Amino acid sequence: MKAAHLKPPATERLIFWSVAFILLSQMGWWISLQIRESRNLQNARIATMRAGRAEAWQMDSAQILRIVFQRDTGTTSRPGAVEARVPQFPPLPVRKAAIESRFPYVAVVPDPVEPDDPILLDQSGYLTLRVEILGAMERERTLALWRAAGEAAVMVLAVLLGMSYIYRKLNSEMELMLRQRNFIASVTHELKTPIASLRVWIETLFARELGPERKARIQMLMDGDLLRLTQLVGNLLDVARADAGSLDLQFERTELAPWLREVADGMDHRLGTGSLGLDLQLGIDIYAGIDRRALGQVIENLLSNAHKYAPEPRSTLVTLDSDGEKAIITVTDRGNGISPRELPRIFQRFYRVGDEMTRQVPGTGLGLFLCWEIVTLHHGEIKVSSPGRGFGSTFTIRIPLSPR
Ligand code: ADP
């Protein structure tokens, strides 16, 4: 199956972005509603305060009028006549204090601040709404709007993050499911092909008289098929053991150079002597505690890949070095290489780079996963680098050195 088929369907991305768009427009609508409502509320509060200002004017005017129309009954010459006298109003600071104590948001000022500020009846000043109170109300409103917008943004962000988390989880689950399906098809194919080929060779050997050269050639091909089967079954068993946490390793202090030479030469021989174009550059006196069989399987998997994913004539470099703390093994081929996009994924279980070229190459996508598991159990790390498709790749293993 091509990697492209493993991509999440475009519909899911469309749904995600549609929901994001709806949420964002809902948030925009909600914020504009908040702005409108808060403005209405503010206008209502100002209207109430204006009514209070009118009441303050009435209260002060009533006091003035009472003094103006006060009847002086004791000193009138004619009964029923109103005595005209110069009225004695209470001083302005006293009236101002009375107004401001009852209506704290109203101020008595010498000049009008707003065009509709009423003038006091004796024209000694104007009543206006306090500027600092209006300013404070405006600030409070702006703050409330920012708070509402912030809360809405956090909510939308939380929903989107949650959705994208679920979306990614679903995608990876789906991808794993598809890879698993692909894996079963590959394993079936991987088992059938060498078995079918072995059957043909056995029939040929028994049915015909063959010369020694032909026999040797058939033996080499049968060895190849058996190697493929052994590797596959070994990988499957080890993956099952790794899953069960029972990949039991026996660590032995080992000088790496001779062990690595034996593994690499053995693999080169099994793949067809010289077919890897092996170049071994192995530093001596480098010791580490390793499980020879398991780590050998890692090297074999890497060399098998260097063989599978490189056209002839191959050139494979295996090096061994140390940085004082770790032993460093590299396997470099000059084959197909790996694109930067695929690099982080090739150690995943069942993952295979899926263009038609690789599709024709046998494999299950388990080899590198197993390599990663085994190297991790050695308290080491395995990494891959590649300059890109067509430029080969380098696998680097680092495992702790063992003291002398
Ligand atoms: P398999 O080889 O069975 O497919 P692996 O786990 O060994 O599985 O490798 C995973 C994928 O990584 C391969 O399908 C291949 O696309 C890519 N790969 C591994 N080694 C190399 C290499 N040396 N050169 C290019 N691609 C590689």
Side-chain angles (χ1 to χ4, degrees), residues 120-372:
L120 292 175
L121 217 56
D122 62 348
Q123 300 194 345
S124 57
Y126 291 83
L127 291 182
T128 189
L129 297 181
R130 280 186 186 282
V131 182
E132 63 272 22
I133 289 187
L134 291 178
M137 273 168 59
E138 185 56 36
R139 275 196 302 280
E140 200 181 297
R141 185 176 88 93
T142 318
L143 205 73
L145 280 178
W146 276 112
R147 204 177 315 124
E151 278 167 12
V154 167
M155 198 192 72
V156 168
L157 208 72
V159 172
L160 287 182
L161 280 179
M163 270 179 56
S164 81
Y165 176 76
I166 294 170
Y167 168 75
R168 268 184 288 137
K169 264 267 176 257
L170 277 176
N171 270 344
S172 67
E173 288 291 319
M174 200 177 71
E175 218 184 282
L176 187 66
M177 209 180 69
L178 289 172
R179 269 196 262 146
Q180 218 154 344
R181 207 185 298 162
N182 187 29
F183 160 75
I184 291 168
S186 315
V187 169
T188 317
H189 178 259
E190 284 292 280
L191 283 171
K192 272 186 178 167
T193 316
I195 290 173
S197 138
L198 281 169
R199 177 192 265 165
V200 171
W201 297 133
I202 290 167
E203 279 173 10
T204 314
L205 283 174
F206 282 105
R208 291 200 221 154
E209 275 300 316
L210 299 170
E213 233 176 72
R214 182 99 174 100
K215 271 190 183 167
R217 164 116 185 99
I218 290 179
Q219 188 187 354
M220 199 190 80
L221 293 170
M222 288 176 83
D223 276 347
D225 287 333
L226 284 172
L227 170 69
R228 218 166 133 183
L229 278 175
T230 317
Q231 254 192 342
L232 173 65
V233 173
N235 278 351
L236 284 175
L237 283 176
D238 280 345
V239 167
R241 285 192 196 111
D243 276 347
S246 61
L247 196 60
D248 202 10
L249 303 188
Q250 305 295 326
F251 294 98
E252 284 173 82
R253 186 167 183 274
T254 306
E255 201 206 328
L256 296 181
W259 160 81
L260 192 52
R261 182 177 299 282
E262 195 185 318
V263 174
D265 284 342
M267 195 60 188
D268 184 49
H269 178 68
R270 277 183 278 164
L271 289 167
T273 307
S275 64
L276 271 172
L278 258 189
D279 177 7
L280 302 179
Q281 296 180 7
L282 310 178
I284 54 164
D285 260 359
I286 300 173
Y287 286 82
I290 61 167
D291 180 310
R292 294 186 203 185
R293 185 200 68 81
L295 205 61
Q297 203 182 341
V298 171
I299 305 296
E300 283 177 1
N301 270 323
L302 296 182
L303 290 174
S304 160
N305 283 348
H307 189 270
K308 282 196 296 187
Y309 301 111
E312 284 186 277
R314 298 181 189 87
S315 162
T316 312
L317 172 67
V318 178
T319 68
L320 168 65
D321 206 346
S322 125
D323 64 2
E325 282 185 9
K326 301 259 168 91
I328 306 165
I329 301 171
T330 67
V331 177
T332 306
D333 64 63
R334 296 220 197 112
N336 299 347
I338 303 161
S339 69
R341 205 171 63 87
E342 310 283 357
L343 280 176
R345 317 177 75 188
I346 60 168
F347 291 103
Q348 290 173 4
R349 179 198 294 252
F350 308 136
Y351 190 80
R352 303 199 72 206
V353 178
D355 65 16
E356 281 312 312
M357 198 162 62
T358 357
R359 185 77 187 96
Q360 284 157 9
V361 177
T364 56
L366 281 183
L368 289 181
F369 168 70
L370 198 60
C371 290
W372 187 85

Side-chain angles (χ1 to χ4, degrees), residues 10-66:
T11 353
E12 283 171 30
R13 250 170 298 157
L14 188 73
I15 290 173
F16 177 79
W17 286 116
S18 312
V19 173
F21 175 75
I22 290 170
L23 274 175
L24 285 175
S25 43
Q26 279 286 331
M27 184 179 131
W29 171 82
W30 190 74
I31 288 175
S32 70
L33 187 79
Q34 290 296 314
I35 293 174
R36 216 175 36 238
E37 286 303 306
S38 70
R39 191 171 298 137
N40 288 346
L41 188 70
Q42 176 134 333
N43 287 344
R45 285 174 72 187
I46 291 177
T48 313
M49 281 159 61
R50 285 204 171 119
R53 184 182 60 181
E55 207 183 318
W57 182 84
Q58 279 175 357
M59 183 185 88
D60 185 68
S61 304
Q63 195 181 9
I64 300 281
L65 287 175
R66 222 177 298 121

